[in-house]
Amino acid sequence: MTDLFVPLQSLKQGDWFKLICGASFQHLPAVRNLTLAYTLAGADCIDVAADPAVIAAAQAGLQVAKTLAQDAQQRGFDYKGNLPFLMVSLNDGEDPHFRKAEFNPTECPRDCPRPCERICPAQAIVFDNIKEDFSGVVSEKCYGCGRCIPICPYGIIYTASYVTTPGAIAPLVMSTGVDAVEIHTQVGRLAEFQRLWQAISPWADQLKLLAISCPDGEGMTDYLRAVYDLIAPLKSALIWQTDGRSMSGDIGDGTTIAAVKLGQKVLAAKLPGYVQLAGGTNSYTVAKLKAMGLLKREGQGGQEGIYPLSPPSPLSPPSPLSPPSSISGVAYGSYARVLLSPILEKLENKEVSNTNMKATVCLEEDEVLLWQAVELAHSLVSQIKSSQRRESEH
């Protein structure tokens, strides 16, 4: 099997792992280093903002990972040098994934205990930053989780949303050579979805994967069927991303239960394609899926949701997708990023202490921190990978 189709094989096996860097996350060093660490840990897909600079940062991380494949294997990691799919996220309307927090720091009372600074999982809120002489929200680090808004004692934090302009963003993003696209949509936005899809469709044949992300809502499964009718037939694989508790980042099992329940709802709809969890996924997710019998076992479900693992002939239509009978994978966003935040923070501290104040320390330049980061990333990736391997051995 070629490197190209290794991630698709993971979907087939039911052990697909996706890292969500964040549709609004534009901190280039972090995107690069997260991509590097999770690639070496065995991720199948890296999902980033639809920003050419962010895409380039992720591509740089992927290329560094290829050069470290042998080192990773010697250290006991499964990475063989095959690259995960690089995915970009687009939205067809207002969406919590596509927003930034904002506030005017001069309005903050001097005696405010600044709970916003403590609660921000991206460390995007700073006060009196010496290096940058800055207070407020570091825009490129903010990914719009919104946790700072209700906790502000003075109610001065708000969010600014942005919506993809299909005609402008599609050529810009698709020309970067990304492997996959994820469209964030919501029930009732079929016309908006169609406009975005029409802008993407000239490049659709070059995509290896299309993902549709939709939160729950009344009439959701009927809406998803209508979406499928719009995009069919596809030459690429198709994922339904079930956004349980969008951008929660919580570590409790309550959020993962919400994600699993929505996954069950989409599975029951028997839509063509794969079903992958997101939104509220954390360290409990794989164990919960396994306990509920929602992970694929060896020999279960036949060729569910699979296209042939070779490029489709232009002279013949792709094989039809079959409804899946189990969850094919899990995507992790803020939980996966926060897991590595201690390492990334150490790198940033090294930058501050560097004599050249503009120098950016790349993760591979510090061997100790690099493999610590990969070990942490692997502790999450291996939950679904090793779970499926154990199932196949019995």
Side-chain angles (χ1 to χ4, degrees), residues 45 85-89 178-182 207-211:
C45 184
F85 287 164
L86 183 57
M87 173 183 282
V88 295
S89 284
V178 296
D179 304 297
V181 166
E182 179 168 285
L207 294 176
K208 304 175 185 72
L209 177 68
L210 174 69

Side-chain angles (χ1 to χ4, degrees), residues 328-343:
S328 297
V330 182
Y332 298 86
S334 54
Y335 183 84
R337 297 191 298 269
V338 170
L339 189 63
L340 265 60
S341 60
I343 304 294

Side-chain angles (χ1 to χ4, degrees), residues 374-385:
V374 176
E375 185 67 47
L376 283 171
H378 186 259
S379 70
L380 186 57
V381 176
S382 64
Q383 288 183 16
I384 192 164
K385 298 292 186 183

Side-chain angles (χ1 to χ4, degrees), residues 7 11 28 43 77 104-105 127 135 177 205 227 230 236 239 256 273-274 308 311 356:
L11 276 172
L28 302 184
F77 300 108
N104 182 351
F127 290 91
S135 293
D205 286 356
V227 165
L230 273 177
S236 66
I239 284 178
T256 212
Y274 300 98
N356 179 3

Side-chain angles (χ1 to χ4, degrees), residues 3-18:
D3 287 354
L4 178 66
F5 297 105
V6 168
L8 294 184
Q9 182 69 6
S10 295
L11 276 172
K12 176 183 176 181
Q13 293 168 176
D15 63 0
W16 163 271
F17 179 101
K18 184 175 87 168

Side-chain angles (χ1 to χ4, degrees), residues 56-362:
Q59 288 170 332
L62 292 174
Q63 292 309 310
V64 173
K66 285 202 71 138
T67 69
L68 294 169
Q70 188 172 357
D71 288 351
Q73 292 168 34
Q74 289 175 349
R75 291 171 181 269
F77 300 108
D78 295 331
Y79 180 64
K80 303 294 192 299
N82 48 284
L83 293 180
F85 287 164
L86 183 57
M87 173 183 282
V88 295
S89 284
L90 302 173
N91 56 320
D92 64 9
E94 195 160 314
D95 187 283
H97 297 86
F98 297 81
R99 65 182 185 179
K100 301 275 190 184
E102 295 182 6
F103 69 91
N104 182 351
T106 63
E107 296 178 3
C108 297
R110 298 298 297 178
D111 59 350
C112 178
R114 299 173 179 173
C116 59
E117 186 177 23
R118 293 193 302 274
I119 202 170
C120 178
Q123 298 175 315
I125 297 177
V126 298
F127 290 91
D128 306 318
N129 182 288
I130 298 173
K131 181 182 177 183
E132 304 289 343
D133 188 24
F134 174 80
S135 293
V137 178
V138 182
S139 180
E140 63 268 22
K141 287 187 176 183
C142 176
Y143 56 83
C145 72
R147 266 169 266 184
C148 56
I149 297 171
I151 206 169
C152 175
Y154 302 96
I156 63 172
I157 304 178
Y158 60 96
T159 58
S161 300
Y162 55 98
V163 179
T164 302
T165 305
I169 196 69
L172 188 67
V173 169
M174 302 306 294
S175 63
T176 61
V178 296
D179 304 297
V181 166
E182 179 168 285
I183 300 177
H184 289 258
T185 188
Q186 292 181 24
V187 177
R189 291 217 296 243
L190 195 61
E192 292 88 344
F193 180 95
Q194 186 172 18
R195 281 197 292 272
L196 179 54
W197 180 245
Q198 286 173 342
I200 296 170
S201 57
W203 292 272
D205 286 356
Q206 79 184 34
L207 294 176
K208 304 175 185 72
L209 177 68
L210 174 69
I212 308 296
S213 179
C214 186
D216 200 2
E218 186 176 351
M220 183 192 72
T221 54
D222 288 339
Y223 178 69
L224 295 183
R225 287 190 187 96
V227 165
Y228 180 75
D229 289 342
L230 273 177
I231 62 179
L234 281 175
K235 287 188 176 180
S236 66
L238 174 64
I239 284 178
W240 301 105
Q241 176 166 290
T242 60
D243 203 354
R245 285 195 186 170
S246 178
M247 302 168 66
S248 67
D250 292 338
I251 60 174
D253 61 356
T255 53
T256 212
I257 290 172
V260 171
K261 283 185 175 179
L262 186 54
Q264 287 178 297
K265 181 175 179 177
V266 177
L267 282 176
K270 299 189 180 301
L271 294 159
Y274 300 98
V275 177
Q276 172 227 278
L277 300 189
T281 52
N282 54 35
S283 62
Y284 292 94
T285 304
V286 170
K288 184 68 69 176
L289 287 172
K290 190 173 180 184
M292 297 176 70
L294 291 172
L295 282 180
K296 184 177 177 182
R297 291 178 171 81
E298 187 72 7
Q300 176 194 34
Q303 294 296 304
E304 59 178 47
I306 301 303
Y307 282 121
L309 294 177
S310 58
S313 166
L315 301 177
S316 60
S319 300
L321 286 169
S322 303
S325 58
S326 55
I327 298 297
S328 297
V330 182
Y332 298 86
S334 54
Y335 183 84
R337 297 191 298 269
V338 170
L339 189 63
L340 265 60
S341 60
I343 304 294
L344 301 186
E345 188 175 356
K346 287 180 182 177
L347 280 179
E348 286 200 20
N349 290 338
K350 288 187 70 170
E351 291 174 27
V352 171
S353 62
N354 197 303
T355 53
N356 179 3
M357 295 298 285
K358 292 185 178 180
T360 298
V361 179
C362 298

